[in-house]
Amino acid sequence: MKYFFTQLYKTPMFFVFVLMVAFYGFHALGRTAEINQYAVVTAVGIDMAEEEEGEQLYEVTLLTFIPVAQQSFTESYKVFNAKGRSVSEAMDLASLNIGREIGLSHIKIIVLSKELIENGLHKFLDYLSRNVQVASSTKVVATDSTAKDFLTTAQNLDNESSIKVSEHIMYNSEYIYSTESSLETFFKGTFGPTKVGLMACLSPKSPDEQTMPTAASDSQGAGEEKSGSSGGSGTSTQDMITQCHVYVFKEGELVVTLGEREMKKVNFVCGDYTDGSIQVKNISDKHFTNANVTFEIFGKSMKYNVSYQNGIPVINIDTSLTLRMSEVEDETGMVKENVELFVISPEATKAIERKVKQSMAEGINTMRENQVDIADFYTLLYNNNKQAFKNFLDSLEDPEDYLNRIVFKIGVRILAK
């Protein structure tokens, strides 16, 4: 025993540990759980509300996670909303409505209505971007409805389905016709040299707007609780959320709206995709006659090379796509052979190359017409030869219109999987 106390005496950190447990441990054990003090918010939506006494009001909608003490894992969500003369005031009033402090560290999505976006964007994101609890990786999306309706639909999805809205957004961002925007990427683009930011616009759809029938269920208002088992079976989602288009901003102002087809052409230039498909019409070779053939994208590689001719930048874009034939519509009827065993013929390869080149050229023209450098060619040219690029910009009457003065050369190579 004497040896034991001698060793303790020689270990002063043990006494520090005992003091910390005495002063903080018992106090922490006596405190109530933080879940009873904070409301765990997973999504925030902002809308413009009606004016009151000559002042514009803003409505903040919160999708909150409610823990339920049960033997099986259950996720339950509630929607709360409040109005205020600013986003900060509306958040404070929402906290009073909930009866708890609002915790923003678990936010995954920020939803902005189209009406709000058209009246200026930065001032509404300012509160959330300055809040140290909100991660810079938080996704920012727009909606063509109201943020309140969007989050009500998200509540039904999160409660009744194993597919979360945040997972839906992340999955869609991998496809060639989609995009993903977070607080970090949006502000990085907006305050960068191109001054361009992108934001996906998602649309909630009610059961009568869906093409596939779903089981009917009672509608649910804001603030009403509805529980469901995460990953459970036997339930059907009454609503769904789909991506309809992409908003393109310059200096925080909405410049152009791109549909899926337009965004697909722009993404061919940017290379911001890993999945997708390409359909080429009227292919005729030894296998098909005037067939419409769809190819699935399995991989891509893009290289940019910059040179100057008479002070004019020339950008060579070399694209390699790995494709596999996935669907055939032949005018002679069904194809008897196994499509997956076909080797892409030279005729089909040339048709695909023409299709991709045309799409890339149209994507570049879209950026030129709207003076939005979505592909960030500015940084590419600046990093390649700073002085030559500066001389090029100085020679232009309108430096913002530099895309129309750049020469693009496109090369496409098709690989079969």
Side-chain angles (χ1 to χ4, degrees):
M1 182 65 68
K2 181 179 179 181
Y3 175 79
F4 175 74
F5 286 108
T6 302
Q7 293 299 317
L8 286 182
Y9 180 77
K10 294 180 179 180
T11 311
M13 288 302 300
F14 174 78
F15 298 101
V16 175
F17 175 76
V18 171
L19 289 175
M20 291 181 63
V21 171
F23 280 99
Y24 299 104
F26 296 108
H27 173 68
L29 290 174
R31 293 181 61 185
T32 59
E34 287 194 352
I35 198 64
N36 297 324
Q37 180 181 357
Y38 293 95
V40 181
V41 179
T42 60
V44 175
I46 308 176
D47 290 304
M48 294 190 69
E50 71 280 357
E51 294 187 5
E52 185 177 285
E53 298 180 357
E55 288 188 292
Q56 178 66 56
L57 296 183
Y58 304 99
E59 184 173 16
V60 169
T61 305
L62 305 177
L63 181 63
T64 61
F65 171 70
I66 307 296
V68 179
Q70 294 183 1
Q71 291 183 348
S72 60
F73 177 71
T74 301
E75 291 190 9
S76 180
Y77 294 86
K78 283 186 178 181
V79 173
F80 296 91
N81 61 286
K83 299 178 182 179
R85 291 168 294 182
S86 65
V87 176
S88 177
E89 182 179 285
M91 292 287 285
D92 290 339
L93 294 175
S95 179
L96 293 175
N97 292 341
I98 298 174
R100 298 177 182 176
E101 295 182 40
I102 295 177
L104 301 179
S105 57
H106 295 278
I107 287 181
K108 296 181 179 179
I109 306 172
I110 299 172
V111 185
L112 307 173
S113 66
K114 183 178 180 180
E115 182 184 7
L116 188 83
I117 288 173
E118 291 175 344
N119 284 271
L121 185 63
H122 290 141
K123 56 185 178 181
F124 304 114
L125 287 178
D126 184 76
Y127 171 80
L128 295 173
S129 63
R130 291 177 184 274
N131 194 305
V132 294
Q133 292 183 337
V134 181
S136 59
S137 60
T138 303
K139 303 297 180 292
V140 183
V141 299
T143 179
D144 55 0
S145 65
T146 64
K148 181 178 179 180
D149 291 340
F150 182 96
L151 291 182
T152 301
T153 303
Q155 176 193 15
N156 296 331
L157 283 174
D158 284 352
N159 278 333
E160 299 182 1
S161 172
S162 61
I163 300 177
K164 308 303 179 186
V165 178
S166 57
E167 296 173 357
H168 171 87
I169 295 172
M170 293 182 64
Y171 183 76
N172 282 6
S173 66
E174 299 176 358
Y175 278 76
I176 193 170
Y177 49 78
S178 185
T179 188
E180 182 183 40
S181 178
S182 63
L183 282 174
E184 181 181 10
T185 58
F186 182 81
F187 282 113
K188 183 178 179 180
T190 301
F191 293 110
T194 62
K195 307 173 185 177
V196 174
L198 301 180
M199 188 178 297
C201 179
L202 305 183
S203 176
K205 289 188 177 181
S206 57
D208 55 352
E209 296 177 302
Q210 299 179 32
T211 57
M212 297 182 63
T214 58
S217 60
D218 295 334
S219 60
Q220 181 180 6
E224 297 179 358
E225 183 177 355
K226 190 172 185 179
S227 302
S229 176
S230 176
S233 60
T235 61
S236 68
T237 305
Q238 67 168 3
D239 296 322
M240 63 183 293
I241 291 177
T242 59
Q243 176 162 329
C244 46
H245 39 259
V246 174
Y247 289 149
V248 183
F249 300 85
K250 188 166 185 179
E251 297 184 283
E253 300 294 331
L254 180 60
V255 175
V256 62
T257 301
L258 301 180
E260 290 182 357
R261 292 185 178 181
E262 291 78 10
M263 195 62 205
K264 183 175 182 179
K265 296 172 182 177
V266 171
N267 270 340
F268 267 128
V269 182
C270 303
D272 294 335
Y273 61 92
T274 56
D275 295 295
S277 61
I278 301 174
Q279 185 185 56
V280 183
K281 297 183 178 181
N282 303 323
I283 293 181
S284 297
D285 56 19
K286 63 181 180 180
H287 300 296
F288 315 118
T289 302
N290 293 328
N292 299 333
V293 185
T294 302
F295 300 89
E296 190 174 354
I297 299 174
F298 274 87
K300 57 96 171 108
S301 174
M302 300 191 68
K303 295 181 179 179
Y304 301 91
N305 183 41
V306 179
S307 60
Y308 285 82
Q309 296 180 3
N310 298 323
I312 304 298
V314 179
I315 299 179
N316 292 276
I317 306 176
D318 295 320
T319 303
S320 296
L321 294 175
T322 303
L323 307 177
R324 185 177 70 181
M325 192 180 302
S326 60
E327 184 179 2
V328 178
E329 298 177 15
D330 196 295
E331 65 176 11
T332 60
M334 296 184 65
V335 181
K336 297 180 181 179
E337 295 86 351
N338 292 328
V339 174
E340 62 273 11
L341 299 180
F342 284 172
V343 177
I344 301 179
S345 65
E347 294 84 1
T349 299
K350 292 180 180 179
I352 299 170
E353 291 176 353
R354 288 194 298 268
K355 172 79 172 182
V356 176
K357 286 182 179 179
Q358 180 183 359
S359 296
M360 294 178 72
E362 292 176 358
I364 292 173
N365 287 334
T366 298
M367 291 188 285
R368 282 174 164 174
E369 291 172 0
N370 298 281
Q371 294 188 8
V372 286
D373 187 1
I374 299 175
D376 198 8
F377 290 120
Y378 188 105
T379 301
L380 175 68
L381 295 170
Y382 184 88
N383 292 338
N384 176 263
N385 192 326
K386 177 181 177 180
Q387 188 58 47
F389 183 50
K390 183 177 183 300
N391 294 337
F392 165 70
L393 292 179
D394 293 339
S395 66
L396 300 179
E397 184 177 347
D398 181 11
E400 293 290 330
D401 194 29
Y402 60 89
L403 285 178
N404 280 307
R405 306 302 177 186
I406 299 174
V407 177
F408 293 93
K409 295 182 179 180
I410 300 171
V412 178
R413 182 187 178 193
I414 302 300
L415 304 174
K417 181 176 177 64

